[in-house]
Amino acid sequence: MLYSMRVARPEAKCLQAARFFMKYTRLFVLPLLAIALLAAACGGGKSNSVPNGSIAVVKGEEITMEQFDRVLDRARRGYKAQKRAFPKAGTAEYQQIVQGVVQFLVQRVEYRQKAAALGVKVTDADVEKRLKQIIKQYFGGSEKKYRDQLKKRNETDAEVRDDLRALLVEEGISKKITAGIAVTEDEAHGYYLQHPQLYSTPESRDVRHILVAKKPLADTLYKQLCGAESPCMKAKADFAALAKKYSTDPGSKNQGGKLTVVRGQTVPEFDKTAFALEKNEISKPVKTQYGFHIIQALSNVHPRKTTPYSQVKEAIRQQLLSQRRNAAIQKFQAGLKKEYADEVKYAPGYEPPATTSTAATTTG
């Protein structure tokens, strides 16, 4: 009750469509790299030069209606497996799925073409090896359990292998474009020194309080606890019993009003008083947006603690490494989008929705 909350901002529509489609069509988790590319792919291409029987042409390579129907059917099967009605044609939800299918297929072609240019190769043996790893991890090495799961989800082994091949292509490209990226000891230590607030625990204190809505009741309870004493260093009544009976703070009343507060993380009036009291001292009623508090300090202030660099240096290195790799991937995606801007043609009805340049590059 004393702490604040945040509300997440909404996602771009095209990214929602991609995630929505993937949620219901994949047996295994799609990597974030593919999700990000799906979002970046939205908004490109024109509706011309697409032969009959195809939905798109990617740098001369056709994506056929048969391929589209096959993937769309996987979406239908996914809905059926979850006992959900598949959206009707013409609805916004159906169009989201269609856009997800189209961009999924376009992305696969773009990546496959780019993989060849980068010298990234994925063999049948590579796919087989990854599939065996998945069967071991998720099905205890049982081929039968794997096949049973495919049957349950109305998936085929060929579809899973196709997914895995695309996944391995993505991983191969990611590995290629992030090769050589590193974080030195000096860079990691510098980050630690520049962000001390991330690697320390603020001051805290054990307190207990009684929260009531009206000041007259707060004054009455304070008199029961302290009488006319000021400052009040010893309760004349059972503080915990009064908290359980009268306090309206659901997070602490059943504990007799006890809680641990962290400097700067409660409402200002409460925070100021809680950290100003002497140990065992009881405050006069303090007004906040929640009502009136009577606060008692149960401990000394626990000092701020800093985590030694040696304990967090590897985590910092991994964090910076991940950031740099993600930046390299985003740069690659931006370059890929630019490269294919005039190379992807869509048949009428399959074009991605028009977006502004800002929205098209937003990934979350």
Side-chain angles (χ1 to χ4, degrees):
M1 191 169 189
L2 299 172
Y3 299 84
S4 61
M5 299 178 65
R6 293 183 180 179
V7 178
R9 64 181 178 85
E11 300 176 321
K13 287 185 178 180
C14 192
L15 180 58
Q16 287 178 327
R19 285 176 171 159
F20 183 83
F21 166 67
M22 291 303 172
K23 180 178 180 182
Y24 295 109
T25 59
R26 299 298 291 271
L27 176 60
F28 306 108
V29 177
L30 184 74
L32 292 178
L33 178 59
I35 291 288
L37 188 61
L38 284 170
C42 295
K46 300 178 181 179
S47 301
N48 56 22
S49 304
V50 178
N52 291 334
S54 295
I55 64 162
V57 177
V58 183
K59 198 175 275 192
E61 183 174 341
E62 294 181 32
I63 298 175
T64 66
M65 181 64 73
E66 182 183 355
Q67 291 173 294
F68 173 83
D69 288 341
R70 188 162 56 246
V71 179
L72 186 63
D73 186 57
R74 293 179 65 187
R76 288 194 180 92
R77 283 182 272 151
Y79 268 78
K80 184 177 180 181
Q82 296 186 17
K83 298 181 180 179
R84 300 175 70 240
F86 193 72
K88 294 182 179 180
T91 64
E93 190 176 13
Y94 178 82
Q95 193 58 31
Q96 281 188 325
I97 296 175
V98 169
Q99 285 300 319
V101 172
V102 173
Q103 294 306 320
F104 170 70
L105 292 169
V106 168
Q107 176 259 326
R108 281 196 169 186
V109 174
E110 290 178 347
Y111 254 49
R112 186 171 63 250
Q113 291 178 353
K114 201 62 181 177
L118 293 173
V120 174
K121 297 180 180 180
V122 176
T123 66
D124 291 343
D126 295 328
V127 175
E128 181 68 25
K129 180 179 179 181
R130 179 58 63 89
L131 181 57
K132 286 183 178 179
Q133 290 173 350
I134 289 173
I135 292 174
K136 181 178 180 180
Q137 180 178 356
Y138 293 100
F139 305 101
S142 171
E143 182 78 19
K144 182 179 183 303
K145 290 181 180 179
Y146 163 67
R147 297 286 176 177
D148 288 344
Q149 180 68 6
L150 290 181
K151 185 177 180 180
K152 181 180 179 181
R153 293 182 59 91
N154 292 314
E155 298 277 357
T156 68
D157 181 66
E159 288 171 338
V160 171
R161 289 175 184 272
D162 194 37
D163 284 346
L164 289 178
R165 186 177 297 277
L167 172 61
L168 291 171
V169 166
E170 292 167 6
E171 290 179 353
I173 290 177
S174 178
K175 184 177 180 180
K176 193 87 170 181
I177 64 180
T178 60
I181 295 177
V183 175
T184 67
E185 177 75 15
D186 287 344
E187 289 170 333
H189 191 241
Y191 185 88
Y192 173 82
L193 295 177
Q194 292 166 17
H195 301 83
Q197 73 280 4
L198 299 178
Y199 305 103
S200 62
T201 304
E203 290 180 317
S204 63
R205 191 169 208 182
D206 301 322
V207 302
R208 59 184 174 186
H209 79 128
I210 301 171
L211 171 63
V212 294
K214 303 295 184 180
K215 190 173 188 303
L217 177 56
D219 290 336
T220 297
L221 294 174
Y222 179 78
K223 287 181 180 179
Q224 290 184 44
L225 289 166
C226 297
E229 289 188 16
S230 183
C232 178
M233 304 301 295
K234 186 175 181 180
K236 299 179 182 298
D238 189 330
F239 195 113
L242 291 176
K244 289 180 179 179
K245 183 175 181 179
Y246 292 102
S247 183
T248 60
D249 179 14
S252 67
K253 68 173 297 178
N254 291 334
Q255 288 73 47
K258 288 184 179 180
L259 72 159
T260 299
V261 291
V262 178
R263 173 83 77 175
Q265 293 189 11
T266 56
V267 289
E269 304 88 349
F270 189 100
D271 187 85
K272 181 179 179 180
T273 300
F275 285 92
L277 294 171
E278 296 292 330
K279 182 179 179 180
N280 296 320
E281 184 178 358
I282 300 172
S283 75
K284 291 182 178 181
V286 177
K287 183 180 180 181
T288 74
Q289 66 194 74
Y290 300 108
F292 294 85
H293 307 256
I294 301 170
I295 308 168
Q296 182 178 28
L298 298 178
S299 71
N300 291 321
V301 175
H302 304 304
R304 187 183 191 93
K305 294 182 180 179
T306 300
T307 305
Y309 172 66
S310 60
Q311 294 181 17
V312 295
K313 66 178 182 179
E314 182 57 26
I316 293 174
R317 193 186 73 81
Q318 289 296 332
Q319 175 187 336
L320 295 179
L321 194 60
S322 178
Q323 290 174 352
R324 292 178 184 183
R325 286 173 174 169
N326 287 339
I329 290 171
Q330 289 173 7
K331 183 178 179 181
F332 168 79
Q333 291 171 357
L336 193 67
K337 181 183 177 184
K338 184 177 180 180
E339 177 183 340
Y340 279 86
D342 296 320
E343 298 289 348
V344 182
K345 314 299 180 183
Y346 296 93
Y350 296 93
E351 310 95 327
T355 59
T356 63
S357 58
T358 299
T361 56
T362 299
T363 56

